[in-house]
Structure formats: structure tokens, C-alpha cells
């Protein structure tokens, strides 16, 4: 009995996170919007590029730009305080410094539905990128 109580008391918020199965798969970038004063609105059509984010079950990722791999490695999902809501939220972080021009791939994860993902940069300018799950 004492072991059960100790286990329950020692759990953290991170331990009680739901599974990350909702983010697994192949995600096609559809837009990047936001930016206080800049009103950024980028799409695959306006940038003439496609970006695909692949998140695997074994915590590895791959990012493709115009069908060519530009980054791969390990990722992890952690909880951190968001500046958007001041709540603990899920963040995706990569083993490498990943930057994709006009696309936010690292930050707060928001699963809108089973086929819609938003990643927010967690900065005051409020940029976010939207992704649609590949069929």
C-alpha cells in the first residue's frame, strides 16, 4: 500500500501526459501565419515549396523539402509553460537545431483534429504553421 501511495505522489505532470500517438505520421505543411505587424501568410504555393514532417513511433523524425530530406534525427515531446496561455503545454523538440524557412516545426503542439496539426513558435510575434496529415 505504501508503495502505491509513493508512486502516486512522485508522478509529475509530464508522467501523466497522454500518449503522443496523435502526432505520429506524415504531415504536409499547408501554411504559416501570424507575426505582429508583419502579417505573415506563407503557403506552399506562395513559397513554391512543399514541406513534409514525418514523426515516427520510435521518436525519430524526418523533414523533407521539395521531396529531398533536409533534416532527420530524434525528437521528444515535453511539457513546458506556454506564453500563449500560461499553461503547461506539449512542445516538440529535436536533437538538432532544425530550421525550415517560412515553416515552424519546433514549438507548442496543437492537434486540431485527427488530420490537422498546428505548431506555434511560443514567441510574442505569434507565428504558427499548420499541417495536414497525409492520406
Amino acid at each position: 500500500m505504501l508503495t502505491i501511495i509513493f508512486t502516486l505522489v512522485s508522478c509529475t505532470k509530464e508522467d501523466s501526459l497522454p500518449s503522443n500517438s496523435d502526432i505520429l505520421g506524415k504531415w504536409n505543411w499547408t501554411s504559416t501565419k501570424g507575426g505582429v505587424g508583419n502579417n505573415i501568410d506563407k503557403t506552399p504555393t506562395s513559397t513554391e515549396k512543399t514541406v513534409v514532417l514525418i514523426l515516427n513511433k520510435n521518436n525519430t523524425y524526418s523533414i523533407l523539402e521539395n521531396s529531398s530530406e533536409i533534416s532527420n534525427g530524434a525528437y521528444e515531446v515535453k511539457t513546458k509553460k506556454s506564453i500563449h496561455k500560461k499553461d503547461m503545454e506539449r512542445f516538440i523538440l529535436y536533437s538538432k537545431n532544425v530550421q525550415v524557412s517560412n515553416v515552424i516545426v519546433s514549438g507548442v503542439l496543437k492537434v486540431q483534429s485527427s488530420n490537422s496539426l498546428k505548431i506555434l513558435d511560443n514567441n510574442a510575434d505569434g507565428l504558427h504553421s499548420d499541417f495536414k496529415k497525409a492520406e
Side-chain angles (χ1 to χ4, degrees):
M1 182 70 165
L2 188 56
T3 305
I4 293 171
I5 293 171
F6 178 76
T7 303
L8 291 174
V9 172
S10 66
C11 286
T12 65
K13 283 189 178 206
E14 197 165 321
D15 294 331
S16 62
L17 280 177
S19 107
N20 291 319
S21 62
D22 59 341
I23 65 166
L24 299 179
K26 186 175 182 180
W27 297 92
N28 295 314
W29 171 63
T30 59
S31 68
T32 297
K33 296 182 180 184
V36 176
N38 294 326
N39 297 323
I40 294 168
D41 188 0
K42 302 290 183 183
T43 65
T45 302
S46 69
T47 60
E48 296 182 351
K49 74 175 179 181
T50 60
V51 175
V52 177
L53 172 62
I54 303 167
L55 300 172
N56 299 307
K57 190 174 187 175
N58 63 354
N59 284 29
T60 61
Y61 77 92
S62 181
I63 298 175
L64 309 175
E65 186 174 311
N66 295 332
S67 301
S68 295
E69 186 174 67
I70 60 168
S71 186
N72 66 49
Y75 74 89
E76 67 178 318
V77 176
K78 289 188 164 193
T79 56
K80 291 175 36 177
K81 186 166 260 195
S82 165
I83 68 165
H84 302 286
K85 288 183 159 181
K86 306 291 185 213
D87 294 331
M88 298 297 282
E89 298 199 68
R90 289 191 301 170
F91 278 70
I92 187 163
L93 306 165
Y94 301 94
S95 59
K96 300 176 184 175
N97 183 16
V98 179
Q99 292 186 358
V100 182
S101 178
N102 297 310
V103 182
I104 306 301
V105 293
S106 181
V108 179
L109 291 168
K110 296 283 187 182
V111 177
Q112 312 293 151
S113 68
S114 62
N115 67 348
S116 179
L117 174 70
K118 183 179 296 234
I119 303 177
L120 296 90
D121 67 2
N122 203 41
N123 290 320
D125 63 0
L127 288 176
H128 69 270
S129 288
D130 295 307
F131 298 82
K132 183 175 181 183
K133 197 163 210 172
E135 301 284 323

